[in-house]
């Protein structure tokens, strides 16, 4: 229902991957971009461990900025919710898969972004930023000791970018439209990258 509503409201202004015609059980995980600003170079899904250990396809796109020709990857994921030990094991498995995917994409020498609901704070931030050259839009560091950003700034929803990305204007939005759509804040950041 959300995918159909988004498609209806976005019209031709936004493109969405995976599109409505692509067979995918997991339509709640999608990447949207402004069609006039970016074009799709390549889109694919990667099976990531989710609830009950089931693998769910998570989308990855390589986009090209129309103004500059710069290309970049965007990955979006949703890791298993819950406080039970099994849920933590499924999130740990997903983390390993997301680290491997990020490392693979970083070899293409273009900026990489990972976004999503990781359903973890320190348990995701620390091992992820230790294993791959990525940093969070919300801040934090993993030089020496791991220090994630404060919980009031970053909870379980994350935006990460590769080292060639600089973030600014990080914030979350909790207006009425967001509250009617989701139980999470909308996390927003401005990203620039060095050519």
């Amino acid at each position: 229902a959300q995918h159909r509503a988004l498609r209806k409201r976005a019209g031709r202004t936004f493109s969405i991957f995976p599109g409505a015609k692509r067979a995918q059980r997991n339509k709640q995980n999608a990447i949207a971009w402004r069609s006039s600003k970016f074009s799709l170079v390549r889109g694919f899904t990667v099976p990531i461990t989710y609830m009950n250990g089931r693998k769910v396809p998570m989308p990855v796109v390589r986009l090209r900025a129309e103004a500059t020709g710069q290309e970049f990857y965007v990955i979006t994921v949703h890791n298993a919710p819950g406080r039970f030990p099994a849920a933590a094991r499924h999130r740990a498995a997903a983390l390993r898969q997301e680290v491997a995917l990020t490392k693979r994409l970083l070899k293409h020498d273009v900026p990489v972004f990972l976004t999503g609901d990781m359903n973890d704070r320190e348990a995701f931030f620390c091992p992820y930023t230790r294993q791959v050259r990525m940093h969070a839009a919300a801040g934090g560091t993993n030089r020496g000791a791991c220090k994630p950003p404060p919980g009031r700034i970053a909870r379980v929803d994350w935006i990460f970018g590769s080292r060639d990305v600089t973030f600014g204007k990080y914030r979350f939005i909790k207006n009425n439209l967001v509250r009617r759509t989701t139980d999470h804040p909308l996390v927003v950041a401005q990203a620039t990258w060095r050519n």
Side-chain angles (χ1 to χ4, degrees):
Q2 285 181 327
H3 192 272
R4 281 195 305 275
L6 177 61
R7 183 78 266 166
K8 185 177 178 183
R9 291 183 70 97
R12 296 182 184 270
T13 305
F14 289 90
S15 298
I16 301 172
F17 179 85
K21 293 179 183 175
R22 185 176 173 98
Q24 184 186 0
R25 295 173 304 178
N26 191 31
K27 288 276 200 242
Q28 74 265 26
N29 289 308
I31 301 171
W33 60 93
R34 193 174 293 274
S35 307
S36 62
K37 303 280 186 187
F38 305 100
S39 59
L40 179 65
V41 176
R42 180 176 178 228
F44 57 98
T45 61
V46 175
I48 300 289
T49 301
Y50 191 56
M51 290 170 47
N52 303 319
R54 175 174 57 101
K55 297 280 183 88
V56 172
M58 304 289 178
V60 181
V61 295
R62 182 166 174 154
L63 300 176
R64 179 182 299 118
E66 296 294 347
T68 64
Q70 172 70 53
E71 295 184 6
F72 58 97
Y73 281 103
V74 179
I75 311 160
T76 193
V77 298
H78 185 195
N79 291 350
R83 297 182 181 198
F84 301 106
R89 283 195 305 276
H90 300 322
R91 286 194 297 275
L95 169 63
R96 289 190 296 275
Q97 294 154 357
E98 290 151 5
V99 164
L101 173 61
T102 305
K103 285 180 176 180
R104 192 174 92 213
L105 297 181
L106 285 169
K107 291 179 182 176
H108 293 242
D109 204 29
V110 298
V112 175
F113 296 91
L114 171 70
T115 69
D117 176 0
M118 285 47 170
N119 273 306
D120 264 326
R121 208 170 89 64
E122 252 180 81
F124 187 89
F125 177 91
C126 291
Y128 184 72
T129 57
R130 184 178 63 245
Q131 294 177 70
V132 293
R133 296 176 59 85
M134 301 281 280
H135 63 282
T141 183
N142 205 343
R143 294 191 180 135
C146 180
K147 295 179 185 171
R152 63 183 163 68
I153 295 173
R155 295 181 185 107
V156 298
D157 301 299
W158 293 95
I159 301 172
F160 290 93
S162 48
R163 294 290 170 98
D164 46 0
V165 173
T166 303
F167 288 112
K169 298 184 180 178
Y170 175 84
R171 65 196 188 283
F172 23 87
I173 301 169
K174 292 182 179 179
N175 60 27
N176 286 335
L177 178 59
V178 172
R179 284 188 192 94
R180 287 197 316 266
T181 308
T182 175
D183 59 341
H184 290 246
L186 176 63
V187 181
V188 179
Q190 184 179 62
T192 56
W193 55 82
R194 299 180 297 276
N195 285 337

